[in-house]
Amino acid sequence: MGWRKKVSAGLFKRRISNMGILFHQETKTFHLYNKEVSYIIRIMENGQLENLYYGKAIRDREDFTHLHEEMSRPLTSVCIPEPGVLNMQCTKQEYPVYGTGDYRSPAFTVKQESGSKVVNFTYVSHEMYHGKKAITPLPAVYTNSDEEACTLELHLHDQMMHTDLVLTYTIFEEYPVITRHAAVCHKGEEPITLEKVMSMSVEFQDMDFEMVQLSGAWARERYVKERKLEMGIQAIQGINGTGCGAEHNPFLALKRPEATEQQGEVYGFSLVYSGNFLAQTEVSTFDMTRVMLGIHPEGFSWKLEKGETFQTPEAVLVYSDKGLNKMSQVYHRLYRRNLMRGNWKEQPRPILLNNWEATYFDFTEEKILDIAAKAKEAGVELFVLDDGWFGTRNDDYRGLGDWVVNLEKLPDGIAGLSRKVEALGLKFGLWVELEMVNKDSDLYRAHPDWIIGVPGRFESHGRHQHVLDFSRKEVVDYIYEMISKVIRESRISYIKWDMNRYMTEPYSRGAAADEQGKVMHRYILGVYDLYTRLTQEFPEILFESCASGGARFDPAMLFFAPQTWTSDDTDASERAKIQYGTSYVYPLVSMGSHVSAVPNHQMFRSTPLSTRANMAYFGTFGYELDLNLLSEEELKQVKEQVAFMKKYRKLIQVDG
Ligand code: GLA
């Protein structure tokens, strides 16, 4: 089946000599390799898959079974007929399931019609090919040419459920990167309900690691936290429904205790997803470590009828033998070249000025043009109009959802203002928050059932707003129509796509009772759908994602919007910690970073103008203040900063 019929092992290797996937028929072993990394999988005696090795590249051999450690102990259960001794409790597994004697946390749980949750996916066939397939509508890393990578698909089947499981692995030639995802296709007559489907699970024979995570809160996003692995489970998660969150980033790394920035072994695990996630390590009492990454099972249940498939998001695994710095460099390059898309991919970013901290909601067209004119004088290239331009949005109590310009503030509309800004010699950008609604809005009055919430229960609010039910296509369609009209009529070069609250009372009035476990994932698919429509229709627009600052800074967003507002906290000193942590995974070109006024509006701290710029250079660079309020001397400095960034932004953002 599959690859063996398509291309011989020799041909596959010769064509791309530094990278390949080998299958050793005799020992039923797969070896994915490039110059830096090896990943070895074996089909075990029970037909399940063993995760034999993941780490520094090792020479290929026919037989890798010396890497299998047999540990039979009293209390372990043997899962093959006697005299076999194979047990799941002490075996490193590729995709552990529930019910056959492995008492660690499984990667997959399912409820069957019989009530049983016992599963046994065994190997059926495999396929190998050059390049990498998309997993649309989910975002994923892609190849620019088939020569860059090769892919292994392992096809497994559970005979009792009549369900297929496909585990997909892609290895790249140039990077120590392996991507993984899983898909479940149900073929049985009776439906099944998926309760947990992780994107990946990897195991190590030892526990000599520190777990690195990026955690924090609003205004202190992605601080680097490290802790030693111990027996038992250590995990981070996001379960707010609308984004990965300010609390924990969908990423963890395992580093050897002696590893530093420049040396030592580090394994990175990053999830290309914006919704609920779980990133977990589990150390067994035999000192083995299991790492899992995927959609969080909390709030998730996915009924599959015959013929239906569920596709997980993608996990991106990076192996570094040269410390944290190399891991970051690999993520940066991969995400810049193989994840970001569109006209702005690998392009230096325009220097912008955003009016939010200059005016908040209080502006007129005259005031905006005044700020824009000064920005132009300083060499700024793009003016961004933030919140407050639509409906009755003069504060954050009302107007969200009504994407119609407020003619009292802007008599010539966005169409007129954008043309006037362009006449000044600047590009024009606009803020939107498309996933939300205030109850005091025409949209809510017309469609009160379009918000997420349980009929009859209190509907929690945040910043006086509610979450629109993007799991429903008609809601996404409506918002698309409204906002695309504004864009079509105007001259818009940039959009800041904000999202300012987490989901509560997760329930869709548009879904049946047995579909409610799908709502949070479908919500995120709705967000991706709207992004897809807008980026396809307006490919020249530069999108910047934002979520109360940096609460949705994840790889999936970069697939649609190649930059993200890193944090609402614009204080230079605070930003040093935030941007440092963010840079563990995300490239500088993706980090929105601006010079703002002092005393800083979030921290009330005053830092020199030069310090603020020195921090903002390490990102997209821009200003978040009214330059009219600066002294002559300060304005001179700003002009020098802008000139400096224009000279070096290619080096900082794109090269390397
Ligand atoms: C969020 C964003 C800010 C600003 C405001 C506008 O807080 O993070 O940058 O756009 O919304 O309401």
Side-chain angles (χ1 to χ4, degrees):
M1 275 271 318
W3 166 72
R4 281 191 306 284
K5 278 189 190 151
K6 288 183 184 160
V7 51
S8 77
L11 182 65
F12 198 78
K13 268 178 73 185
R14 254 199 317 277
R15 202 170 139 207
I16 302 172
S17 56
N18 288 328
M19 157 195 71
I21 303 169
L22 298 168
F23 178 56
H24 298 294
Q25 182 82 49
E26 198 81 341
T27 52
K28 296 190 169 61
T29 307
F30 298 90
H31 184 184
L32 294 85
Y33 71 93
N34 64 21
K35 280 174 293 177
E36 300 187 85
V37 63
S38 281
Y39 193 106
I40 301 168
I41 303 163
R42 183 177 77 103
I43 305 166
M44 295 186 286
E45 293 87 311
N46 65 350
Q48 294 185 8
L49 300 176
E50 180 174 20
N51 182 204
L52 260 191
Y53 177 83
Y54 173 37
K56 197 174 179 67
I58 53 177
R59 195 142 40 88
D60 187 54
R61 51 197 286 167
E62 175 64 35
D63 189 352
F64 282 106
T65 41
H66 62 286
L67 296 172
H68 169 82
E69 278 197 37
E70 197 74 66
M71 281 197 279
S72 290
R73 297 282 189 276
L75 286 177
T76 51
S77 307
V78 175
C79 63
I80 51 172
E82 306 210 54
V85 290
L86 186 69
N87 73 79
M88 289 299 106
Q89 196 175 350
C90 307
T91 299
K92 292 180 293 172
Q93 293 167 68
E94 206 44 50
Y95 201 73
V97 295
Y98 172 80
T100 47
D102 175 4
Y103 302 107
R104 292 164 288 171
S105 197
F108 181 89
T109 54
V110 63
K111 208 164 133 206
Q112 298 154 55
E113 277 295 275
S114 64
S116 163
K117 291 189 171 189
V118 177
V119 174
N120 182 18
F121 283 116
T122 55
Y123 170 86
V124 176
S125 64
H126 65 270
E127 209 182 312
M128 299 187 199
Y129 47 86
H130 296 283
K132 185 176 189 292
K133 290 180 189 162
I135 50 169
T136 319
L138 285 165
V141 164
Y142 59 86
T143 49
N144 295 291
S145 80
D146 279 355
E147 269 60 46
E148 276 183 3
C150 48
T151 297
L152 167 68
E153 286 181 16
L154 294 170
H155 297 253
L156 299 102
H157 185 72
D158 181 288
Q159 281 188 342
M160 295 282 287
M161 275 193 309
H162 304 291
T163 305
D164 291 344
L165 169 70
V166 181
L167 303 178
T168 303
Y169 305 75
T170 298
I171 183 158
F172 283 75
E173 181 174 24
E174 286 298 319
Y175 316 108
V177 167
I178 290 168
T179 63
R180 284 189 59 177
H181 55 80
V184 185
C185 177
H186 185 52
K187 295 179 171 165
E189 295 299 332
E190 295 171 343
I192 56 172
T193 303
L194 308 176
E195 293 178 330
K196 183 181 188 185
V197 195
M198 289 285 111
S199 297
M200 61 132 244
S201 176
V202 166
E203 303 205 22
F204 299 92
Q205 199 68 54
D206 68 301
M207 57 173 281
D208 195 19
F209 289 110
E210 287 166 0
M211 172 171 154
V212 185
Q213 64 195 66
L214 303 175
S215 300
W218 178 82
R220 55 174 173 86
E221 296 91 346
R222 291 173 296 286
Y223 280 17
V224 177
K225 302 280 172 198
E226 293 179 3
R227 50 175 142 156
K228 205 175 144 3
L229 286 193
E230 290 295 348
M231 284 179 191
I233 289 176
Q234 298 177 68
I236 52 166
Q237 64 181 34
I239 53 167
N240 71 60
T242 47
C244 61
E247 291 73 25
H248 302 290
N249 203 252
F251 161 82
L252 72 79
L254 291 186
K255 70 183 262 293
R256 295 294 179 188
E258 67 280 4
T260 63
E261 280 284 332
Q262 304 297 341
Q263 62 185 28
E265 275 196 321
V266 182
Y267 294 84
F269 303 91
S270 163
L271 188 66
V272 188
Y273 189 56
S274 315
N276 293 349
F277 76 91
L278 174 67
Q280 179 171 299
T281 60
E282 180 170 8
V283 176
S284 76
T285 49
F286 294 99
D287 292 354
M288 294 158 68
T289 302
R290 173 176 290 174
V291 186
M292 280 194 306
L293 193 58
I295 292 181
H296 202 295
E298 185 69 46
F300 173 88
S301 68
W302 200 277
K303 189 172 172 190
L304 277 185
E305 301 282 354
K306 184 178 182 180
E308 289 181 339
T309 297
F310 180 78
Q311 170 66 57
T312 72
E314 181 167 86
V316 180
L317 289 63
V318 169
Y319 169 73
S320 164
D321 59 351
K322 294 193 183 63
L324 289 159
N325 188 53
K326 181 172 171 187
M327 176 197 73
S328 301
Q329 286 185 354
V330 171
Y331 274 123
H332 290 194
R333 285 189 193 134
L334 184 79
Y335 286 174
R336 275 190 347 233
R337 296 175 189 165
N338 298 78
L339 184 63
M340 292 180 183
R341 302 174 303 163
N343 295 8
W344 287 97
K345 174 180 170 175
E346 303 223 70
Q347 290 304 314
R349 301 298 155 78
I351 296 173
L352 67 80
L353 184 139
N354 178 304
N355 74 308
W356 178 240
E357 290 193 12
T359 65
Y360 294 103
F361 293 106
D362 186 17
F363 58 81
T364 58
E365 187 188 79
E366 196 189 347
K367 173 96 180 148
I368 290 298
L369 289 172
D370 196 34
I371 295 173
K374 202 66 176 176
K376 171 65 189 167
E377 189 191 324
V380 167
E381 298 158 310
L382 166 71
F383 174 81
V384 179
L385 180 63
D386 211 278
D387 197 355
W389 58 266
F390 50 90
T392 52
R393 184 82 170 167
N394 294 318
D395 52 40
D396 54 17
Y397 285 86
R398 64 206 92 242
L400 263 187
D402 296 339
W403 300 106
V404 181
V405 70
N406 178 342
L407 291 172
E408 277 173 35
K409 279 181 175 168
L410 305 172
D412 292 328
I414 291 297
L417 176 65
S418 61
R419 285 183 171 80
K420 287 176 199 177
V421 169
E422 285 207 343
L424 291 172
L426 289 158
K427 296 286 185 196
F428 179 79
L430 195 63
W431 178 98
V432 295
E433 190 177 356
L434 303 173
E435 301 155 64
M436 300 287 155
V437 68
N438 288 122
K439 283 199 170 173
D440 186 354
S441 67
D442 292 341
L443 176 61
Y444 179 79
R445 283 183 281 274
H447 298 285
D449 60 327
W450 276 10
I451 63 170
I452 294 277
V454 187
R457 288 195 187 274
F458 182 72
E459 285 154 347
S460 305
H461 48 90
R463 207 191 181 196
H464 325 292
Q465 65 195 52
H466 296 263
V467 181
L468 280 173
D469 187 354
F470 265 39
S471 73
R472 296 169 70 171
K473 187 172 175 301
E474 65 271 32
V475 179
V476 177
D477 287 347
Y478 181 89
I479 295 294
Y480 166 73
E481 289 305 331
M482 279 194 111
I483 199 62
S484 56
K485 182 168 181 297
V486 177
I487 302 172
R488 272 182 226 124
E489 287 169 358
S490 314
R491 310 265 315 157
I492 293 176
S493 302
Y494 161 105
I495 285 184
K496 178 177 171 185
W497 178 318
D498 211 340
M499 188 288 292
N500 284 313
R501 72 157 298 207
Y502 296 156
M503 197 184 284
T504 49
E505 295 85 33
Y507 185 90
S508 169
R509 290 160 164 100
D514 63 354
E515 297 273 295
Q516 292 297 333
K518 298 183 176 180
V519 169
M520 284 161 124
H521 181 56
R522 280 187 173 157
Y523 175 91
I524 293 296
L525 294 181
V527 173
Y528 296 157
D529 177 26
L530 188 56
Y531 257 117
T532 302
R533 294 192 219 181
L534 292 176
T535 49
Q536 279 178 0
E537 185 173 347
F538 307 106
E540 66 291 346
I541 292 182
L542 170 61
F543 281 81
E544 176 159 344
S545 72
C546 173
S548 287
R552 206 192 240 170
F553 207 134
D554 66 63
M557 277 294 115
L558 296 184
F559 188 75
F560 300 104
Q563 58 190 60
T564 302
W565 184 225
T566 313
S567 176
D568 274 346
D569 194 337
T570 53
D571 175 79
S573 166
E574 295 301 312
R575 272 293 184 121
K577 284 173 276 182
I578 296 168
Q579 291 179 209
Y580 171 68
T582 307
S583 79
Y584 265 47
V585 183
Y586 304 99
L588 299 193
V589 72
S590 68
M591 280 190 234
S593 51
H594 301 168
V595 173
S596 59
V598 287
N600 176 266
H601 290 199
Q602 295 76 36
M603 293 291 126
F604 312 110
R605 184 190 280 136
S606 289
T607 49
L609 184 53
S610 57
T611 306
R612 282 173 272 155
N614 285 340
M615 201 61 238
Y617 292 143
F618 291 94
T620 58
F621 197 72
Y623 291 85
E624 191 92 9
L625 76 177
D626 183 353
L627 296 175
N628 288 298
L629 304 178
L630 300 191
S631 67
E632 275 305 308
E633 176 49 36
E634 287 173 322
L635 194 62
K636 188 167 158 276
Q637 267 195 62
V638 167
K639 286 179 184 169
E640 286 165 8
Q641 292 168 355
V642 170
F644 174 88
M645 194 57 182
K646 283 180 181 167
K647 187 168 172 198
Y648 292 109
R649 64 183 157 185
K650 185 165 173 295
L651 175 71
I652 295 170
Q653 298 173 349
V654 180
D655 297 343

